[in-house]
Amino acid sequence: MFEFGRELKRLFGAETLGTTRDGLTGGDASLLELLDLEMLRAEAKAADVAAGRVGAKDRAQRRLEAAIVWREIARRTGDAVALRKAAAGAETAADLFGRNRRPDGWARARCEQAYCAMLGAELFGDTGLDAAAGAAFREARAAARGGLALPLAEVGIAAIEGRARMADGDAQLARVTAARFSTPIVGLKTLTRRCRAARLLAVEARLVRCDLLLGWGARLKDRDLLQQALSEAELAADGLDPAYEPVSWARASAARGQAMALLGEIGGEIEPLAEAVNALADVLNDVSREHSPLDWARVQAALAQGLQALGEAGASERAYEQAVTCYDRAALVLKDLPALPLRAAVASNRALCLARSAELTGDLAVLDAAETAFRIELTNLSPARDPSAWALLQVNLARLYEARLDITGRDRGERAAAATALTAALEVFSEQGMRSLSVIAAEALERLGPTPRLRPAAG
C-alpha cells in the first residue's frame, strides 16, 4: 500500500525532507495520504516555513495549508499539540484572509478551525468544542459565496447537530439527519474538477454520515440504519485506491467491517460475524501503524469488538482470547493518550472479554486480572472530566463482581460492591440522558435482586 510513500522517501531522503522549504505536496492536500507519519511531520514543518517566509506569496493560503497538514497529524496520532497548532494556524489564516476582503478564503479557514474543534471533541470527549465548532460552521456558511467552504460548513453543521441529537433521537430523526449530507456531498463531488482535494473531502463527508448511522443504529439496535451505514461505507470506499489513498481507504473499509459486525451482533448470527471479522482482519493487512497509529489502533479495536461479539454468539473462549490480543495491540498506541475516550472503551471491553472467558472456564485468575485492569483504568479517569466513560467502567466492574458471585457461589461483599457501582453509574447515565446505558445499569441492578443469584458452594 505504501510503495509510493517509500519511493518519495528514497528520492528525497530524510535530510532533504527536513529542509525542503515548500514540502513535497506543494499545498495539495490530496497528496498527504501518500506520506507516512515521519514525512507528514516534515511536511508540516516545511509548510510553516513557507508560510512564514518573508515575501511569501499569499501568506493566508500558506497558513491554511499548514493548518490542514497539522490537523492530519492530529487525526493520525491524537496529538493535542499538533491539533493546537492546526487550530492556531487556521485562526491566523482567517485573520489574514479577512471576512470582508476575501470572504471565501475566510470561510474556508473558519471551516478548518471548526474541524479542528470537532476533532478535539471526538478525541478528548469535550462537548464544548462541538458547540464552538457549530458556531464557526454557521459563520462560514453565512460568509461563503462559493468554493469548498459552503459544502464543508453544511457537512459540519449536520454532523454537530447529529451528534447532539443521538442520545434522545429516534430512527426517523437519524434518517432525516443522514439526508442532510446529500446536498453538500454532491456539491463537493461537483468541485472535484477544480479542486483535487474535494474528492477526498466528499469521501470524508460520507464517512461522517456513516459514523452517525453506526452510532444511531447500534444504540437503537436498528437493522435498517446499520444497513444504510454499510451501504454508505461501501460508497465511500468505491473508487478509492489503497496505494494512493491508503488512509481514506482504511477508514472506509474499517467502517464497512464495523457495520457488518453490528448487523451480525444484533442477530446473534455466527456466520455474518465471522465475515465481519475476516473483513476487518483484511484491513489490518494493508494499514500500517507507522503510517497512521490511531487508525491502526481503531481497526484493532474494531476487530476486537467483532471477535468479542463472535465469542458471545458462540460462547467461544478462543474468540475472547483473540479479542484480548487485539485490544492489547490497540493499547500499545492508546497508552500514551490517556484523555481519549477510545482508551477507556478498549480497557473496558478488554476486561469484559477476560470476565466472559473466566465465566466460560471458571478460572478466577483471569477474573482477578480483569478486575485489576478496571481499577487501574478508574484511577486514571476523572469522573468530573468524562462522567460517561467513568460510569461505563463502573457498570463493567459490577459485571466482574457478578461473574465472581456466579463462579464461586459465595458473597464476600461483591453483591454490595456491584450495587454501589451500578447505582453510581445509573445516576450519571440519567444526568447525561443516556437512556440505553441507563437501561443496562437498571437491568444489572435488577439481576442482583434482593438476594444474590448464587450457585451452591462446592463441598
Side-chain angles (χ1 to χ4, degrees):
M1 173 182 286
F2 305 107
E3 290 81 2
F4 190 79
R6 286 194 288 268
E7 184 66 10
L8 284 176
K9 188 180 288 187
R10 185 188 69 79
L11 288 172
F12 288 93
E15 68 285 351
T16 306
L17 288 175
T19 58
T20 302
R21 293 191 301 175
D22 295 325
L24 295 174
T25 66
D28 187 347
S30 67
L31 299 177
L32 292 177
E33 295 200 15
L34 291 169
L35 307 182
D36 67 19
L37 192 55
E38 177 188 349
M39 297 169 74
L40 191 64
R41 291 187 189 279
E43 184 75 3
K45 293 174 183 177
D48 279 343
V49 170
R53 188 183 308 137
V54 175
K57 183 180 178 181
D58 199 349
R59 289 184 62 240
Q61 184 63 29
R62 300 286 84 75
R63 284 293 177 196
L64 177 58
E65 291 166 0
I68 291 170
V69 182
W70 282 113
R71 180 164 66 91
E72 179 62 17
I73 291 173
R75 288 184 72 189
R76 294 196 202 178
T77 64
D79 185 355
V81 174
L83 188 58
R84 285 196 294 269
K85 287 183 178 181
E91 183 178 7
T92 300
D95 291 339
L96 291 171
F97 278 120
R99 182 168 187 167
N100 296 323
R101 292 190 304 275
R102 298 171 66 183
D104 283 335
W106 181 88
R108 177 64 185 91
R110 284 294 280 158
C111 280
E112 187 59 29
Q113 281 183 275
Y115 277 109
C116 288
M118 263 184 71
L119 179 59
E122 177 187 340
L123 290 175
F124 310 117
D126 186 346
T127 55
L129 290 174
D130 268 341
F137 279 131
R138 286 188 288 273
E139 289 180 1
R141 182 175 62 179
R145 298 176 183 174
L148 290 173
L150 184 58
L152 287 178
E154 290 176 342
V155 167
I157 291 169
I160 294 294
E161 293 180 1
R163 286 181 180 183
R165 296 299 304 277
M166 189 180 295
D168 59 356
D170 57 15
Q172 180 57 29
L173 181 58
R175 294 185 182 91
V176 171
T177 300
R180 293 179 60 185
F181 287 81
S182 298
T183 298
I185 287 173
V186 170
L188 288 169
K189 291 174 69 175
T190 302
L191 290 168
T192 300
R193 291 183 179 179
R194 286 193 289 147
C195 175
R196 288 198 298 176
R199 178 170 171 272
L200 289 182
L201 290 171
V203 170
E204 186 176 334
R206 286 196 180 280
L207 292 178
V208 172
R209 174 157 65 176
C210 177
D211 186 60
L212 285 173
L213 287 167
L214 283 175
W216 238 306
R219 187 181 71 82
L220 299 173
K221 301 292 188 284
D222 189 302
R223 292 190 64 88
D224 289 341
L225 291 178
L226 292 175
Q227 188 62 52
Q228 190 176 346
L230 176 59
S231 299
E232 196 68 28
E234 290 172 343
L235 284 171
D238 186 36
L240 289 176
D241 187 337
Y244 292 92
E245 295 130 345
V247 179
S248 292
W249 180 87
R251 289 169 182 163
S253 299
R256 175 178 175 271
Q258 285 179 288
M260 292 169 63
L262 285 168
L263 282 165
E265 186 177 0
I266 285 178
E269 303 170 51
I270 292 178
E271 186 174 344
L273 283 169
E275 290 178 4
V277 165
N278 288 334
L280 288 165
D282 287 342
V283 177
L284 282 172
N285 291 330
D286 289 309
V287 66
S288 164
R289 179 181 169 189
E290 289 71 30
H291 199 89
S292 182
L294 201 51
D295 284 295
W296 181 84
R298 284 186 172 126
V299 178
Q300 290 284 0
L303 176 57
Q305 288 174 328
L307 286 163
Q308 187 174 349
L310 188 61
E312 190 66 32
S316 169
E317 181 191 354
R318 176 60 177 160
Y320 284 120
E321 290 176 356
Q322 291 175 322
V324 168
T325 299
C326 291
Y327 282 131
D328 285 339
R329 289 172 182 159
L332 293 174
V333 171
L334 301 174
K335 65 181 180 181
D336 297 323
L337 302 168
L340 265 64
L342 179 61
R343 183 177 184 271
V346 164
S348 172
N349 286 331
R350 178 185 183 278
L352 278 181
C353 287
L354 291 172
R356 286 292 292 128
S357 181
E359 287 179 326
L360 290 173
T361 62
D363 188 345
L364 289 176
V366 175
L367 204 60
D368 290 338
E371 187 175 335
T372 300
F374 269 130
R375 292 191 180 281
I376 291 173
E377 193 62 28
L378 280 170
T379 61
N380 295 328
L381 192 64
S382 168
R385 181 172 182 178
D386 195 346
S388 300
W390 179 86
L392 186 58
L393 281 174
Q394 294 288 354
V395 170
N396 292 329
L397 186 59
R399 182 70 182 86
L400 296 186
Y401 294 139
E402 187 179 355
R404 189 178 294 276
L405 283 170
D406 282 339
I407 293 171
T408 65
R410 297 185 178 88
D411 185 0
R412 293 186 173 92
E414 289 88 355
R415 181 180 179 280
T420 299
L422 289 168
T423 300
L426 187 57
E427 290 177 0
V428 171
F429 293 147
S430 298
E431 290 172 359
Q432 299 290 318
M434 305 175 77
R435 295 179 183 175
S436 58
L437 291 176
S438 295
V439 169
I440 290 173
E443 288 177 348
L445 273 172
E446 186 177 350
R447 271 200 315 271
L448 289 174
T451 56
R453 296 183 295 106
L454 300 180
R455 296 174 183 170

